[in-house]
Amino acid sequence: MKRQVIFFLCYIILQVKIDTIAARAIDADEIPDPLTEEEIECIKELGLDEEHILEIDAKEITPEDDDQYNRFAECFCRKMKLQYDNGSMDYDALREYAQELTTEALKDRDDEVILMVRQVVNEAVAYCQDNPAEGTSHGQIAVRTQNCIVQKLYEAKGGAIDKIPLTEEEQQCIDDLGLNKEHILLEIDDEDGAPEDDDQYNRFTECYWKKMELQYDNGKIDYDALRRFTQQAATEDLKDGDEEVVLMVKQLVRRAVNYCRDNPAEGNSHGQIAVKTQNCIVQTLSEITKDQKYHYLV
Ligand SMILES: *[C@@H]1O[C@H](CO)[C@@H](O)[C@H](O)[C@H]1NC(C)=O
């Protein structure tokens, strides 16, 4: 039942809460989600179409009128003792189950951080307990309750994202272009680079790069400015006094920017050129730092 979605939300809430600079993009599809024993049993016992169930389960908010999924949900909740025989949800059990998923999603994280996310999950369950779902079948009640919790987690995620401070220029670009802050933040700082065909993100990047004078009005990149800007950004967080490390990082950035200047990105818009150039630098830096001797820098 929605383990993947809940995992995904826990990750995102975690990321935006601990990382006030940028939320990382996490793709729910990358989170492994094997069926649990109970889920497999329910599919078999009820003779359901496994693919159909998986497809619906992966949706963020589930349709509430799908007969197969409703029966699946009822069966699962009965096996997990999340729902009473009279159709009412057992919210204490539900809270415990959601907490288990949270702990599993965030294993290896600091206790403090896990507590923070658990608190959010508790609040979501409490809200749904105070506003209990009604339905024409036990299955529909279970599905609506699940949707209620997921919806509340989405709201918590949005609230956390709203609190992420942006630089003045970033905020201006989002306001001037009427973009969605959450969408932009989730694209920024993806380890594998940003998507290159996302219209909003391309427009945002063009605006920001031009404001920061990294890109000329004609779309060409100012690689000297880009090098200085990236060096500044890359060394900002390094402790004072570590001159040698600062110099080495600056040197790495210079190599990456030079590489991208010699292999300039092409694109169908100024924004796409900027995004591809940014990805080039991120990817080149990541390649270079894979060398053993630079390993401690990342
Ligand atoms: C359903 O059963 C539970 C447990 O016996 C009980 O607490 C709850 O009030 C019942 N709900 C309704 C609507 O009767």
Side-chain angles (χ1 to χ4, degrees):
M1 293 264 292
K2 291 243 173 281
R3 286 150 46 88
Q4 212 175 6
V5 171
I6 292 179
F7 274 26
F8 170 71
L9 288 170
C10 288
Y11 272 119
I12 297 279
I13 292 167
L14 165 82
Q15 288 291 346
V16 295
K17 289 216 169 194
I18 60 171
D19 186 348
T20 53
I21 298 163
R24 272 189 200 292
I26 292 155
D27 194 341
D29 294 340
E30 287 170 12
I31 299 169
D33 190 28
L35 285 173
T36 65
E37 207 177 296
E38 293 83 4
E39 288 170 328
I40 294 170
E41 280 172 16
C42 283
I43 289 174
K44 282 206 184 126
E45 282 170 24
L46 300 171
L48 304 174
D49 176 353
E50 179 174 328
E51 238 167 73
H52 179 73
I53 296 296
L54 286 177
E55 196 182 305
I56 293 198
D57 203 51
K59 282 195 203 319
E60 289 158 2
I61 298 294
T62 317
E64 297 171 349
D65 288 316
D66 187 276
D67 182 53
Q68 281 209 38
Y69 190 74
N70 287 358
R71 285 163 60 214
F72 170 74
E74 177 185 357
C75 170
F76 180 80
C77 287
R78 192 181 56 240
K79 281 190 198 291
M80 301 295 289
K81 299 197 171 23
L82 303 174
Q83 189 169 29
Y84 296 116
D85 288 341
N86 61 13
S88 299
M89 302 305 295
D90 179 343
Y91 290 96
D92 289 334
L94 208 52
R95 184 176 305 107
E96 218 162 281
Y97 176 64
Q99 294 295 7
E100 258 171 49
L101 291 184
T102 309
T103 309
E104 199 182 331
L106 303 178
K107 59 175 184 284
D108 310 331
R109 304 294 181 154
D110 289 349
D111 289 349
E112 200 186 327
V113 169
I114 294 180
L115 271 180
M116 206 161 59
V117 180
R118 287 175 74 116
Q119 178 65 25
V120 173
V121 172
N122 270 347
E123 284 164 14
V125 176
Y127 174 87
C128 299
Q129 181 167 14
D130 290 344
N131 300 274
E134 294 180 7
T136 55
S137 67
H138 292 183
Q140 195 178 51
I141 293 172
V143 170
R144 287 187 167 158
T145 304
Q146 171 173 270
N147 278 346
C148 175
I149 294 172
V150 169
Q151 179 65 39
K152 278 285 144 189
L153 292 179
Y154 266 99
E155 285 170 20
K157 180 192 83 168
I161 285 177
D162 275 345
K163 293 201 190 83
I164 296 177
L166 296 178
T167 67
E168 202 182 313
E169 292 85 0
E170 286 169 332
Q171 189 62 54
Q172 271 175 11
C173 284
I174 286 177
D175 292 345
D176 290 354
L177 299 170
L179 304 176
N180 179 327
K181 176 178 175 183
E182 176 174 337
H183 179 77
I184 298 298
L185 278 171
L186 290 177
E187 302 297 357
I188 290 181
D189 198 30
D190 182 353
E191 269 177 359
D192 302 323
E196 297 173 349
D197 286 314
D198 185 278
D199 182 55
Q200 280 208 40
Y201 190 64
N202 286 354
R203 285 162 59 215
F204 170 79
T205 308
E206 173 185 0
C207 170
Y208 183 67
W209 281 42
K210 286 183 177 171
K211 263 194 210 301
M212 302 310 286
E213 300 183 335
L214 307 175
Q215 185 172 37
Y216 298 110
D217 284 341
N218 65 7
K220 293 245 179 304
I221 304 295
D222 181 343
Y223 289 99
D224 287 331
L226 185 59
R227 189 195 65 245
R228 285 191 300 271
F229 179 84
T230 311
Q231 284 175 330
Q232 164 76 27
T235 55
E236 219 162 43
D237 293 336
L238 296 175
K239 287 177 281 190
D240 301 322
D242 234 345
E243 269 310 306
E244 208 179 313
V245 175
V246 170
L247 276 179
M248 190 183 292
V249 172
K250 285 188 170 176
Q251 186 56 32
L252 290 177
V253 170
R254 177 187 295 276
R255 272 175 64 192
V257 173
N258 284 350
Y259 175 84
C260 298
R261 182 197 60 208
D262 296 341
N263 300 275
E266 290 180 11
N268 54 30
S269 67
H270 293 181
Q272 195 179 50
I273 293 172
V275 171
K276 283 185 170 177
T277 305
Q278 176 175 282
N279 281 347
C280 175
I281 291 175
V282 170
Q283 281 152 10
T284 309
L285 274 175
S286 146
E287 283 298 311
I288 299 175
T289 48
K290 271 187 198 137
D291 287 1
Q292 197 53 33
K293 67 173 170 165
Y294 295 123
H295 216 72
Y296 68 98
L297 289 176
V298 289

